[in-house]
């Protein structure tokens, strides 16, 4: 059975954040039959997960879908984050641009798109506010399985 998973998480990662834990979760998801991963392309958790999927694509028949909310999403990213953004976007099997230009709400539209196209949501949620919180609550309302980092 083929399953899809979307990533959602905070842009700022805690000091004790461990990318190896992300890899272990993604490997478990692959073992359960997940073969398509949706990445929202935000700095922080999204790009860490997207980069991990790129590395695992070398060993597993999985796909990465880059879900870009609008062109020039990385405009205000640091140079380091821009490099990672381009690496993940260029390595994706598909790039879906949600809106032709930025507008208030395009990030939430991207998040709903990813949830609507996924069976499982893998999230890094530490606060009861913001985009990740909204996305997780939307996923719950849609009956999606939620996995917390």
């Amino acid at each position: 059975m083929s399953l899809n998973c979307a990533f959602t998480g905070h842009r700022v990662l805690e000091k004790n954040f461990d990318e190896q834990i992300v890899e272990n979760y993604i490997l478990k998801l692959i073992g359960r039959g997940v073969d398509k991963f949706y990445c929202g392309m935000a700095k922080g958790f999204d790009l860490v997960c997207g980069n991990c999927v790129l590395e695992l694509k070398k060993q597993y028949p999985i796909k990465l879908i880059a879900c870009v909310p609008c062109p020039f999403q990385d405009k205000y990213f640091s140079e380091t984050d821009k490099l990672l953004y381009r690496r993940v976007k260029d390595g994706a099997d598909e790039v879906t641009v949600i809106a032709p230009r930025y507008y208030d709400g395009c990030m939430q539209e991207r998040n709903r798109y990813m949830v609507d196209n996924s069976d499982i949501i893998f999230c890094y949620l530490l606060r009861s506010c913001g985009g990740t919180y909204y996305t997780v609550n939307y996923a719950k309302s849609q009956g999606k399985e939620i996995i917390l980092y």
Side-chain angles (χ1 to χ4, degrees):
M1 180 161 122
S2 178
L3 296 170
N4 299 339
C5 176
F7 304 122
T8 186
H10 303 301
R11 291 183 182 101
V12 177
L13 306 175
E14 296 290 307
K15 289 179 184 172
N16 64 348
F17 183 86
D18 187 347
E19 292 185 21
Q20 186 61 53
I21 292 172
V22 169
E23 181 177 327
N24 292 342
Y25 273 110
I26 293 174
L27 283 168
K28 288 178 187 173
L29 288 165
I30 293 168
R32 288 182 52 194
V34 174
D35 60 3
K36 190 182 286 186
F37 294 89
Y38 288 84
C39 179
M41 302 299 292
K43 62 184 179 177
F45 188 71
D46 286 8
L47 288 179
V48 167
C49 290
N51 192 51
C52 183
V53 170
L54 281 186
E55 289 301 312
L56 292 172
K57 278 172 51 80
K58 297 172 185 175
Q59 303 169 47
Y60 298 93
I62 57 176
K63 292 188 177 183
L64 177 64
I65 312 303
C67 299
V68 177
C70 59
F72 311 109
Q73 174 186 10
D74 63 337
K75 181 177 181 178
Y76 299 108
F77 286 14
S78 69
E79 285 307 311
T80 301
D81 287 334
K82 282 182 181 186
L83 287 171
L84 184 56
Y85 178 89
R86 289 190 196 343
R87 180 182 191 282
V88 172
K89 187 176 175 187
D90 291 347
D93 296 283
E94 182 182 320
V95 177
T96 299
V97 180
I98 302 300
R101 62 175 176 70
Y102 175 82
Y103 66 90
D104 282 344
C106 70
M107 304 292 178
Q108 290 83 0
E109 185 177 344
R110 181 249 351 249
N111 295 343
R112 287 189 303 271
Y113 173 84
M114 293 192 317
V115 169
D116 291 344
N117 285 282
S118 295
D119 306 291
I120 301 167
I121 311 303
F122 176 40
C123 65
Y124 179 64
L125 178 63
L126 303 175
R127 295 182 295 280
S128 300
C129 61
T132 299
Y133 182 71
Y134 166 87
T135 304
V136 170
N137 281 333
Y138 177 71
K140 286 178 182 176
S141 78
Q142 300 303 302
K144 307 295 179 162
E145 178 182 349
I146 310 295
I147 296 176
L148 295 168
Y149 163 95

